[in-house]
Amino acid sequence: GQNIDQPTEMTATEGAIVQINCTYQTSGFNGLFWYQQHAGEAPTFLSYNVLDGLEEKGRFSSFLSRSKGYSYLLLKELQMKDSASYLCAVRDTDSWGKLQFGAGTQVVVTP
Amino acid sequence: GAGVSQSPSNKVTEKGKDVELRCDPISGHTALYWYRQSLGQGLEFLIYFQGNSAPDKSGLPSDRFSAERTGGSVSTLTIQRTQQEDSAVYLCASSHHRGEAFFGQGTRLTVV
């Protein structure tokens, strides 16, 4: 089975930086994904890590440490439109690569 | 199609009725997922299809739930004898075997 933990909610100011942590305990590991979900909409893909290290994509970066079962999503230069839920998902090596999601972190950006 | 298509977008049904939810994945994607999301909650895994392998049904909450995928493409999620606790948004996603999943807009199911 899998256990994926992330904080429930974080608040930050427009223009600031926020780091969303995700820890996982899985029977196998074959990649970690971050998704963004605005209220009432479907999740959209943000980033993918399968090797240790940092992946940077514009204002968003994602880090992975497989030995620690740990990832974070870093959002820089926060904008009001970044207010959303951020979902951490792990692909396991069993069941031909099922994607299992954490409960999501609600990020609130204030003016 | 260009993206994952789900129908209907909204469904209101009476308790005890059966419902069918449809998902048309992105062409060429071998993997197809069904998730359920209640208001303010995370994604609850329901079922996973990968190519011609037997589906992973470990997330189905009861035997009232079933799903099939015909010809490796379109999938139908069926809920029999619906209950009020089945009310949620049902999300379908598809992916290449190890790629990122792309989600449809979901079906909002309301059981009254």
Side-chain angles (χ1 to χ4, degrees), chain B residues 24-104:
Chain B
D24 203 341
I26 293 172
S27 178
H29 280 185
T30 57
L32 187 147
Y33 309 79
W34 282 100
Y35 295 91
R36 178 168 73 172
Q37 188 172 36
S38 300
L39 189 63
Q41 302 298 309
L43 271 66
E44 176 189 2
F45 167 77
L46 297 177
I47 189 168
Y48 169 56
F49 297 89
Q50 174 55 261
N52 295 320
S53 302
D56 180 337
K57 305 178 182 181
S58 60
L60 295 178
S62 78
D63 59 8
R64 296 187 295 106
F65 288 72
S66 63
E68 60 179 27
R69 187 179 185 191
T70 53
S73 181
V74 172
S75 176
T76 302
L77 177 69
T78 301
I79 309 173
Q80 295 178 310
R81 305 181 301 282
T82 51
Q83 304 294 314
Q84 287 187 327
E85 61 262 29
D86 300 335
S87 295
V89 176
Y90 288 80
L91 289 163
C92 175
S94 71
S95 74
H96 290 296
H97 181 47
R98 296 190 185 284
E100 67 268 29
F102 294 85
F103 283 82

Side-chain angles (χ1 to χ4, degrees), chain A residues 4 8 10 12 18-19 21 24 30 32 50 75 77-81 84 87 92 100 110-111:
Chain A
I4 302 169
T8 303
M10 303 182 74
V18 69
Q19 177 175 314
N21 296 325
Y24 62 90
N30 201 1
L32 187 143
V50 66
L75 285 61
E77 300 168 19
L78 279 172
Q79 302 176 8
M80 298 300 291
K81 67 179 181 180
L87 307 170
D92 66 20
Q100 198 85 356
T110 60

Side-chain angles (χ1 to χ4, degrees), chain A residues 50-106:
Chain A
V50 66
L51 300 177
D52 290 351
L54 188 68
E55 293 284 340
E56 296 188 83
K57 193 186 286 188
R59 294 188 298 115
F60 293 0
S61 303
S62 57
F63 171 83
L64 175 68
S65 169
R66 289 172 296 170
S67 62
K68 295 181 180 177
Y70 167 70
S71 172
Y72 67 71
L73 179 69
L74 195 69
L75 285 61
K76 294 178 277 190
E77 300 168 19
L78 279 172
Q79 302 176 8
M80 298 300 291
K81 67 179 181 180
D82 297 330
S83 291
S85 181
Y86 292 84
L87 307 170
C88 173
V90 175
R91 188 187 295 285
D92 66 20
T93 52
D94 300 330
S95 186
W96 295 93
K98 180 175 69 183
L99 259 186
Q100 198 85 356
F101 282 81
T105 298
Q106 185 67 41

Side-chain angles (χ1 to χ4, degrees), chain A residues 39-53:
Chain A
E41 298 183 8
T44 55
F45 169 75
L46 286 179
S47 70
Y48 169 62
N49 296 72
V50 66
L51 300 177
D52 290 351

